[in-house]
Amino acid sequence: MKTLILTTAALALSAGFALADTVRMGTEGAYPPYNFINDKGEVDGYERELGDELCKRAGLTCEWVTNDWDSIIPNLVSGNYDTIIAGMSITEERDQVIDFTQNYIPPADSAYAALTADADLKGVIAAQTGTIQADYVAESGATLAEFATLDDTLAAVKSGEADAVFADLDALAASVNESGGALVWAGEPVSLGGGVGMGLRESDKELRAKFDAVITEMKADGTINTLITKWFGPEAKTY
Amino acid sequence: MMDACADPSALSGLGWLLCYLSTGKHLLFYASFGTVLLLLAVTAPVALGFGFMGALAARARLWPVRVIGRAYTAMVRGVPDIIFFLFVPIALDQGFEYVRHRVKCPDWTEPVRQGSDFVVCQAAKLPLSTSPQIWHEVYGFALAVLAFAVVFGAFAANVLAGAMQAVPRAQLETAEAYGMTPRQVTRRILIPQMWIFALPGLSNLWMILIKATPLLFLLGVEDVVYWARELGSAKTQAYSYPHPDWRLWYFLALLLFYLGMTKISEAVLGRLTARLARGQATMAGEAMRKAAA
């Protein structure tokens, strides 16, 4: 019995080896509508649909993997997966460690959400750790309260622990619109970052070129715009 | 899934709840309890093995072996668990991949470390990036077991070394007087008698191990705490079953699970103590002898 299991294991491993083009797509799975785990327990959202289409057009077999946001870059560079497709904005700082494709979501607005529209935006502001919004809050003179997930930042505002939450407008929109007035927008939206791109290891130039080419193609034929409108609503910025 | 659950937005009350509790995501949550139990079942004996080796090594007559045994316990006990859990699996993983890289791709000329990237050839990846997700999970789980075993093994080694010191010298002397070799004394007298002294310390370790299982998520294994957080967090209309923040209820369920585990463990450990005390040269063993006589 034991040898049987071992042989099957060996077969499974060697059989997989024949198709060399599997790309492991790393995402967070906690940032709807960019990416989230749906009720079937699968990765879903704008990036899932986009990623599957990119892989199809580039002729790659893709496998989805979820990873904590905190350690998403370290796990990419140590090779646990091959791409980050997790609503990650292209910034100078990140670009020093990993490489980005061109953006697949145009630079979008970030916004404050709070219990009242006149919330103190120089008070305690909740943001997700390691995001461009967290950096912005730290520099804005407000007190930054960092949380591991977007959901935790929202919970902090609802419990009164933070005065407001600062995050991507598109990610906050559903929570604000469905709160029945409990959560409202505060202050003006701020435009941050260079758009959302796919992150890859710096040593992986070839794969980056492949994805870049397909993104250009999808931008040209308008499929990306259709996807953005589908997931982010008609007001979202398109190409 | 059941046909009745095809359109969740049309459901209400109990029907909604039943469908909600049987989504694919919830099934993964239920399965993760199995993951935790499996981790406990595999880790405990492996850690005990590490501890046993460590304790014997710390008592060895050859000094290099003794130094290794003592260094192991001192080092692991001195470093915070969380650092160990982050360090051991990454170091092991990169170590394995580096060795495989050397063996399988001898003609590879590029350096393995390129800036912050750790690059090995495709054939050396562990598991291969082409292998199904399940193997990646099994591999991650195995690394987790190893990390837990190294950490808890060091504590167990100290407990067992102490227990070996606690066996009455008179017992060992008697065995020597019968002409047993040091090896025989260790195997026939020392080891069978030390368990009763080790048990209080080991039972503490077991309890700590039960509570330490949420650290699994640090290692990328999706455990009960991960799913409770994920399922409990507020859900918007993007999901089929929108609901407000229900984390309190999910964590309450986890609380019951962990309390239940503690209760069962206490009952089992109590019986084990009674069983091991029988016929021992300890106060509990003596009391049992008198009660029976």
Side-chain angles (χ1 to χ4, degrees), chain A:
Chain A
M1 191 62 202
K2 198 187 267 167
T3 26
L4 190 71
I5 295 173
L6 281 178
T7 330
T8 346
L11 271 179
L13 287 173
S14 53
F17 183 51
L19 337 139
D21 272 331
T22 303
V23 175
R24 290 166 56 78
M25 313 274 270
T27 192
E28 187 199 4
Y31 208 63
Y34 293 79
N35 58 76
F36 59 95
I37 311 284
N38 69 11
D39 290 286
K40 293 199 195 88
E42 294 159 354
V43 176
D44 203 346
Y46 168 74
E47 280 165 337
R48 171 71 202 251
E49 211 175 328
L50 174 77
D52 282 347
E53 182 64 27
L54 290 176
C55 291
K56 204 174 95 192
R57 291 188 184 208
L60 304 163
T61 318
C62 290
E63 182 114 45
W64 289 84
V65 191
T66 50
N67 195 91
D68 227 10
W69 175 257
D70 258 357
S71 57
I72 206 162
I73 292 182
N75 273 316
L76 173 78
V77 296
S78 70
N80 287 352
Y81 36 79
D82 306 308
T83 68
I84 296 176
I85 171 160
M88 188 177 269
S89 295
I90 303 168
T91 65
E92 194 95 348
E93 205 184 333
R94 287 177 183 147
D95 212 7
Q96 285 168 4
V97 187
I98 58 173
D99 268 356
F100 282 101
T101 60
Q102 57 176 305
N103 58 28
Y104 55 78
I105 298 178
D109 285 343
S110 300
Y112 291 95
L115 297 178
T116 53
D118 58 350
D120 179 13
L121 300 183
K122 295 272 173 245
V124 180
I125 306 298
Q128 188 176 5
T129 314
T131 55
I132 47 172
Q133 287 86 9
D135 292 344
Y136 177 85
V137 171
E139 278 159 25
S140 75
T143 309
L144 172 66
E146 287 185 298
F147 293 90
T149 62
L150 174 71
D151 183 67
D152 287 344
T153 60
L154 284 162
V157 173
K158 287 178 193 158
S159 69
E161 199 181 327
D163 293 313
V165 46
F166 188 55
D168 277 309
L169 192 146
D170 292 326
L172 286 175
S175 303
V176 172
N177 296 339
E178 291 171 25
S179 67
L183 270 182
V184 292
W185 299 115
E188 290 300 309
V190 190
S191 186
L192 285 184
V196 172
M198 195 189 271
L200 294 107
R201 277 183 295 275
E202 297 203 316
S203 50
D204 240 354
K205 306 273 182 227
E206 208 178 309
L207 188 62
R208 193 182 74 149
K210 262 188 203 169
F211 277 121
D212 249 345
V214 197
I215 294 174
T216 312
E217 187 188 316
M218 283 183 72
K219 277 182 180 170
D221 69 14
T223 28
I224 281 206
N225 286 347
T226 323
L227 278 180
I228 291 178
T229 316
K230 175 183 167 193
W231 286 98
F232 297 100
E235 286 117 65
K237 286 182 196 165
T238 53
Y239 290 101

Side-chain angles (χ1 to χ4, degrees), chain B residues 172-232:
Chain B
L172 307 181
E173 244 163 36
T174 313
E176 279 159 13
Y178 271 99
M180 289 188 201
T181 62
R183 242 206 158 114
Q184 285 174 323
V185 174
T186 304
R187 217 176 57 231
R188 295 186 184 169
I189 312 296
L190 182 70
I191 292 174
Q193 291 205 22
M194 72 170 188
W195 292 113
I196 186 65
F197 301 105
L199 202 60
L202 290 181
S203 70
N204 267 348
L205 277 182
W206 167 253
M207 293 307 201
I208 296 173
L209 178 63
I210 291 180
K211 290 185 294 176
T213 49
L215 286 173
L216 268 179
F217 183 54
L218 278 182
L219 308 177
V221 180
E222 290 166 352
D223 77 316
V224 287
V225 178
Y226 166 78
W227 283 115
R229 254 174 77 125
E230 173 60 38
L231 286 162

Side-chain angles (χ1 to χ4, degrees), chain B residues 147-292:
Chain B
F148 270 100
V150 167
V151 171
F152 282 84
F155 288 95
N158 215 39
V159 169
L160 292 176
M164 287 176 184
Q165 303 287 350
V167 173
R169 179 73 197 126
Q171 297 281 330
L172 307 181
E173 244 163 36
T174 313
E176 279 159 13
Y178 271 99
M180 289 188 201
T181 62
R183 242 206 158 114
Q184 285 174 323
V185 174
T186 304
R187 217 176 57 231
R188 295 186 184 169
I189 312 296
L190 182 70
I191 292 174
Q193 291 205 22
M194 72 170 188
W195 292 113
I196 186 65
F197 301 105
L199 202 60
L202 290 181
S203 70
N204 267 348
L205 277 182
W206 167 253
M207 293 307 201
I208 296 173
L209 178 63
I210 291 180
K211 290 185 294 176
T213 49
L215 286 173
L216 268 179
F217 183 54
L218 278 182
L219 308 177
V221 180
E222 290 166 352
D223 77 316
V224 287
V225 178
Y226 166 78
W227 283 115
R229 254 174 77 125
E230 173 60 38
L231 286 162
S233 63
K235 297 280 180 291
T236 59
Q237 300 293 341
Y239 297 84
S240 318
Y241 297 87
H243 63 74
D245 193 341
W246 280 354
R247 279 181 298 184
L248 184 66
W249 306 111
Y250 281 93
F251 283 120
L252 211 57
L254 288 194
L255 181 80
L256 290 179
F257 169 70
Y258 279 112
L259 281 179
M261 286 295 296
T262 310
K263 186 75 197 148
I264 296 171
S265 307
E266 276 180 348
V268 171
L269 288 167
R271 292 182 78 131
L272 202 59
T273 313
R275 174 73 188 79
L276 286 175
R278 204 183 295 162
Q280 295 288 349
T282 60
M283 274 168 79
E286 187 63 11
M288 271 188 185
R289 190 182 65 81
K290 281 190 181 143

Side-chain angles (χ1 to χ4, degrees), chain B residues 7-46:
Chain B
D7 182 16
S9 54
L11 296 165
S12 64
L14 194 62
W16 186 88
L17 192 66
L18 283 177
C19 285
Y20 173 67
L21 290 177
S22 60
T23 55
K25 210 172 179 180
H26 271 89
L27 297 184
L28 290 172
F29 174 52
Y30 306 141
S32 65
F33 284 94
T35 310
V36 168
L37 293 178
L38 185 68
L39 177 89
L40 288 172
V42 177
T43 306
V46 178

Side-chain angles (χ1 to χ4, degrees), chain B residues 46-111:
Chain B
V46 178
L48 202 59
F50 268 73
F52 201 74
M53 290 298 148
L56 285 181
R59 278 174 66 95
R61 268 175 301 172
L62 278 173
W63 78 264
V65 182
R66 207 159 55 222
V67 167
I68 293 171
R70 293 205 175 135
Y72 166 57
T73 37
M75 256 178 63
V76 178
R77 276 161 24 106
V79 176
D81 285 3
I82 192 157
I83 292 179
F84 236 90
F85 283 117
L86 290 173
F87 172 76
V88 172
I90 292 179
L92 281 177
D93 182 39
Q94 296 199 349
F96 290 152
E97 286 189 347
Y98 183 71
V99 170
R100 278 167 59 94
H101 177 72
R102 281 282 145 137
V103 174
K104 297 207 167 193
C105 311
D107 43 356
W108 184 278
T109 48
E110 289 170 51

